[in-house]
Amino acid sequence: MKDAYNRDIRYLRLSVTDRCNYRCRYCMDEHAPISPRDPASAEELAEIAQACYRLGIDKIRLTGGEPLMRGDIVELCRMIRAISPDIELAMTTNGSMLPIYADKLKAAGLSRLNISLDTLDRERFRSLTRVGELDDVMSGIDAADNAGFSGTKINAVLIGGVNDDEVPAVAALAQTRDVSVRFIELMPMHVVSGWDDSCYISAERVMPLLGELTPVGFDGVTQLYSKDGWRGTVGFITPMSHRFCHRCDRVRVTADCKLKPCLHSNEEIDLKGIKGDKLLETIRTGILQKPLSHHLEDRRTDTSRYMNEIGG
């Protein structure tokens, strides 16, 4: 499926819940509104996934909130996997519940995992997440490995004056593990928009901390690098310093079934209760409304949503 700017849209980020067991400071306010229950059923989400697949989308990432907060998440993975064996079915998670779910997710057909990890300092981790424990996430990474997941991605949001001093230590996870550690520039969304300018640091600023790196290509919008002797890779996602909208191949569906053609746009198309050919046509129309680019160079986003509602 092509959008109005001839970009090939093949990637759906499907938020399955806005609930989370963490309250990460850059994602949501401590008292952000959370749905008392998941607003969409597994059947509704699977139908949206199937419609997107029929339109040419072959990569689906389940996001949240924390997707493992859904009681039926394993069954939802099975339902989406049943659409086609060719779908790349991934999930972004904070990792804390993977010791319980990793084996079940693998058996249900999940292809790959992204695990959020912004710091390796226990006190700093607790402060950033407000309630989390670092050891739970590290156990989750081990559980993913033991369950047979390969190519796991570790996502670290760069926050100046908070975790930029840990870049070498976090990157070193790729030295001994088959993972891709990706550093993501902080974006001015909702609670973050009022943070001090010093919190926004570019990938170029921290790259020298890693010494000599060898470029090894792109994974989507991520520039990947490696070093001699490393098992994995390190990557940089640069929405602030290097706009990559011209390569964007994704759309999002929020936890309450709103299609967002762009993360940073306030444009939303309601998919709730729509079925069959009407659903296909509504998604097709939404993809054609995908804007050319965001406005992050002006340090602003147009969306009014918390990230836990949109999907990480």
Side-chain angles (χ1 to χ4, degrees), residues 53 57-60 80-81 83-89 111:
Y53 177 72
I57 285 174
D58 58 7
K59 179 178 180 180
I60 298 174
I80 296 176
R81 172 53 63 211
I83 295 170
S84 171
D86 298 326
I87 291 175
E88 181 183 344
L89 179 58
S111 310

Side-chain angles (χ1 to χ4, degrees), residues 12-19 35 38-41 44-45 48 61 63-65 70 251-263 265-272 303-312:
L12 168 67
R13 297 179 72 100
L14 181 64
S15 180
V16 301
T17 184
D18 65 348
R19 294 181 291 136
S35 302
D38 297 313
S41 68
E44 287 175 307
L45 294 172
I48 290 171
R61 175 175 301 283
T63 67
R70 277 193 73 107
V251 292
R252 297 170 181 260
V253 172
T254 65
D256 54 353
C257 291
K258 303 293 196 301
L259 177 69
K260 283 185 71 69
C262 172
L263 168 62
S265 170
N266 218 25
E267 182 74 27
E268 296 183 353
I269 298 94
D270 194 1
L271 303 180
K272 186 75 171 174
T303 185
S304 58
R305 296 261 200 171
Y306 287 97
M307 274 301 291
N308 65 294
E309 298 175 291
I310 301 173

Side-chain angles (χ1 to χ4, degrees), residues 11-295:
Y11 182 8
L12 168 67
R13 297 179 72 100
L14 181 64
S15 180
V16 301
T17 184
D18 65 348
R19 294 181 291 136
C20 189
N21 55 333
Y22 288 175
R23 292 291 183 273
C24 293
R25 294 181 183 277
Y26 57 78
C27 179
M28 57 198 299
D29 186 87
E30 188 174 8
H31 305 292
I34 301 292
S35 302
R37 62 184 62 84
D38 297 313
S41 68
E43 289 75 17
E44 287 175 307
L45 294 172
E47 186 166 12
I48 290 171
Q50 183 172 41
C52 288
Y53 177 72
R54 290 179 61 187
L55 290 171
I57 285 174
D58 58 7
K59 179 178 180 180
I60 298 174
R61 175 175 301 283
L62 305 181
T63 67
E66 170 50 54
L68 297 183
M69 292 288 286
R70 277 193 73 107
D72 60 357
I73 187 63
V74 174
E75 179 58 27
L76 177 58
C77 287
R78 289 196 189 99
M79 294 168 71
I80 296 176
R81 172 53 63 211
I83 295 170
S84 171
D86 298 326
I87 291 175
E88 181 183 344
L89 179 58
M91 177 184 291
T92 294
T93 171
N94 63 37
S96 64
M97 301 170 72
L98 283 176
I100 300 170
Y101 281 102
D103 287 329
K104 298 173 184 177
L105 294 170
K106 185 68 174 175
L110 193 71
S111 310
R112 195 169 43 75
L113 287 162
N114 280 27
I115 300 174
S116 300
L117 180 62
D118 302 314
T119 175
L120 295 174
D121 180 277
R122 286 181 173 82
E123 292 303 316
R124 190 176 286 176
F125 185 91
R126 192 175 297 113
S127 175
L128 276 172
T129 62
R130 292 192 174 97
V131 294
E133 297 293 338
L134 176 63
D135 289 347
D136 293 339
V137 179
M138 299 309 295
S139 295
I141 295 173
D142 289 337
D145 189 47
N146 293 335
F149 285 102
S150 61
T152 297
K153 297 176 180 179
I154 308 295
N155 292 342
V157 176
L158 290 169
I159 309 174
V162 176
N163 67 352
D164 48 323
D165 61 326
E166 290 191 75
V167 167
V170 176
L173 292 171
Q175 185 173 355
T176 57
R177 295 174 180 263
D178 176 25
V179 297
S180 179
V181 177
R182 291 135 33 107
F183 295 99
I184 306 170
E185 292 178 346
L186 182 69
M187 294 181 289
M189 298 186 66
H190 217 291
V191 292
V192 175
S193 59
W195 287 14
D196 189 83
D197 284 353
S198 62
C199 293
Y200 297 91
I201 58 175
S202 69
E204 288 178 343
R205 177 172 157 184
V206 301
M207 284 180 67
L209 299 175
L210 299 178
E212 187 173 348
L213 296 171
T214 302
V216 291
F218 280 89
D219 176 22
V221 298
T222 309
Q223 172 71 66
L224 296 176
Y225 300 85
S226 191
K227 298 184 76 170
D228 288 344
W230 282 22
R231 289 188 61 198
T233 60
V234 62
F236 298 92
I237 302 177
T238 57
M240 297 293 291
S241 63
H242 294 83
R243 182 191 295 179
F244 44 72
C245 298
H246 65 285
R247 296 202 308 272
C248 185
D249 61 353
R250 67 190 61 177
V251 292
R252 297 170 181 260
V253 172
T254 65
D256 54 353
C257 291
K258 303 293 196 301
L259 177 69
K260 283 185 71 69
C262 172
L263 168 62
H264 296 287
S265 170
N266 218 25
E267 182 74 27
E268 296 183 353
I269 298 94
D270 194 1
L271 303 180
K272 186 75 171 174
I274 304 177
K275 299 180 179 295
D277 290 342
K278 178 65 173 177
L279 179 60
L280 282 169
E281 186 56 36
T282 304
I283 295 172
R284 183 182 289 110
T285 299
I287 289 174
L288 290 173
Q289 293 177 17
K290 185 174 174 67
L292 178 61
S293 66
H294 58 60
H295 308 291

